[in-house]
Amino acid sequence: MQQMEVKDNGLIIEAESLSFSYEHQESLNLTLNDINFKVEKGEFIALLGANGSGKSTLARQINALLPLQRGKLLVNGFDAGIETNMRDIRRACGMVFQNPDNQFVSSLVEEDIAFGLQNYDYPQAEISSRVAQVLEMVGLPGFEQRNPGFLSGGQKQRAAIAGVLAVDPDILILDEATSMLDSEGRKEVLETVQRLHREHHKTVVMITHYVEEAILADRVCLLSAGRIIADGSPREILTQPALLDQTQLTAPFAVRLFFELANKGVNLPEIPLTTNEIVRQLCQSK
Ligand SMILES: Nc1ncnc2c1ncn2[C@@H]1O[C@H](COP(=O)(O)OP(=O)(O)OP(=O)(O)O)[C@@H](O)[C@H]1O
Ligand SMILES: [Mg+2]
């Protein structure tokens, strides 16, 4: 019998030489090209890259929505190359997508969350307490009887996250989950994700086009044409405008301001990531 689970090495996602083509397995037209991507349990990763660079494909590969073609992929200890592990991998990875309106299957928040639980044969007697628990976790206590269609954008995404949390995934993958929201909705969702990471120890992989959001992560990975071209702390990656430019991304406002000021002969001691850091440095240099 094949071994189902492998030894715990602290990594919750372990991709080695991972390649994927939508055409066929032997195609040279690779959407993911020799990806090495390792995520520790409890880490918060921001995955950045231009349109079409392969971010969603990598997310779908991790979540076993796409079959493993080449390379090695372990998710939560389960080998993605073994067909019988698919259900465990999908349960371990909760996916939240861009458009909250496409994520609901019911006109009642509680039914929507219960649906996922029933799919995993969760004991009927515990369903309503579990629904209340996950709504609390996303800051929507008492929203059981609400119609998800009538919630604000931020509330909708948080209700969608509650649905995903119901079956207790260790990993949350957010695929541009804030891109359709206004700044208030974005803030609500980001604060929720940070709380789930800090207080509930969820591993987070957040795909985003907003470099300012990536500042919140422990680590930033840059994807370009199916390859990971940079992997480091937000400070290492986001303070390099030329590197970001390769992926059609613009450096955070504070970084751009630092270089503009330097052009005018105003040199701050270190490259800041946020406006607060600029203000602190300017006040200190007075
Ligand atoms: N189902 C599919 N069938 C064939 N090709 C696909 C499919 N999905 C994506 N692709 C192609 O794979 C490449 C990577 O797409 P992917 O959606 O992973 O990129 P992305 O980085 O998520 O882009 P975006 O920022 O626009 O969401 C693109 O060239 C895209 O056209
Ligand atoms: Mg995408």
Side-chain angles (χ1 to χ4, degrees), residues 10-271:
L11 294 173
I12 196 157
I13 301 171
E14 204 176 348
E16 264 178 38
S17 309
L18 189 69
S19 293
F20 182 84
S21 168
Y22 282 104
E23 290 168 13
H24 52 82
Q25 204 164 339
E26 281 76 38
S27 168
L28 294 176
N29 191 6
L30 297 174
T31 299
L32 299 179
N33 192 345
D34 200 20
I35 295 269
N36 291 299
F37 182 61
K38 296 198 166 51
V39 179
E40 282 178 24
K41 264 188 195 129
E43 249 190 320
F44 182 167
I45 308 284
L47 190 58
L48 299 176
N51 289 135
S53 55
K55 304 179 297 295
S56 297
T57 304
L58 180 56
R60 289 197 288 264
Q61 180 89 87
I62 292 169
N63 189 37
L65 291 173
L66 293 172
L68 184 69
Q69 292 179 344
R70 269 190 253 173
K72 172 181 143 185
L73 176 62
L74 297 175
V75 180
N76 213 18
F78 293 100
D79 187 337
I82 299 174
E83 185 58 37
T84 48
N85 285 343
M86 299 303 115
R87 193 174 157 88
D88 288 310
I89 291 177
R90 285 189 197 125
R91 186 171 185 164
C93 291
M95 291 273 281
V96 184
F97 298 97
Q98 190 170 32
N99 188 346
D101 287 316
N102 293 343
Q103 298 174 68
F104 300 107
V105 292
S106 167
S107 56
L108 272 185
V109 166
E110 68 177 354
E111 278 179 10
D112 198 79
I113 299 171
F115 181 74
L117 290 167
Q118 282 151 357
N119 267 344
Y120 281 100
D121 302 324
Y122 209 81
Q124 196 64 32
E126 291 170 30
I127 286 186
S128 56
S129 66
R130 183 65 186 151
V131 170
Q133 201 181 4
V134 290
L135 282 172
E136 184 85 41
M137 281 166 80
V138 298
L140 295 175
F143 271 58
E144 283 88 341
Q145 297 294 312
R146 301 284 287 271
N147 181 336
F150 298 142
L151 301 178
S152 73
Q155 289 172 336
K156 278 181 191 171
Q157 264 319 27
R158 286 187 289 145
I161 294 172
V164 159
L165 287 174
V167 296
D168 200 21
D170 289 308
I171 307 166
L172 274 182
I173 303 181
L174 300 120
D175 192 351
E176 296 189 41
T178 63
S179 64
M180 294 184 77
L181 306 180
D182 63 16
S183 61
E184 187 52 39
R186 231 170 23 236
K187 191 163 160 265
E188 283 174 26
V189 169
L190 290 173
E191 281 173 1
T192 303
V193 170
Q194 282 180 286
R195 206 176 50 248
L196 293 170
H197 170 239
R198 287 197 195 123
E199 294 172 20
H200 299 276
H201 314 292
K202 298 291 177 194
T203 304
V204 176
V205 177
M206 184 174 75
I207 296 171
T208 180
H209 279 120
Y210 296 104
V211 284
E212 317 278 344
E213 290 184 358
I215 295 171
L216 306 173
D218 298 322
R219 189 149 65 86
V220 176
C221 294
L222 280 190
L223 207 57
S224 175
R227 289 179 181 274
I228 291 187
I229 60 160
D231 181 344
S233 70
R235 196 165 295 281
E236 281 166 337
I237 306 292
L238 302 175
T239 54
Q240 298 188 58
L243 174 64
L244 293 171
D245 201 42
Q246 284 180 40
T247 53
Q248 275 78 52
L249 292 164
T250 307
F253 169 73
V255 175
R256 285 181 284 134
L257 188 59
F258 171 89
F259 287 107
E260 290 283 327
L261 288 169
N263 275 340
K264 301 271 187 265
V266 180
N267 291 302
L268 297 178
E270 55 179 327
I271 309 178

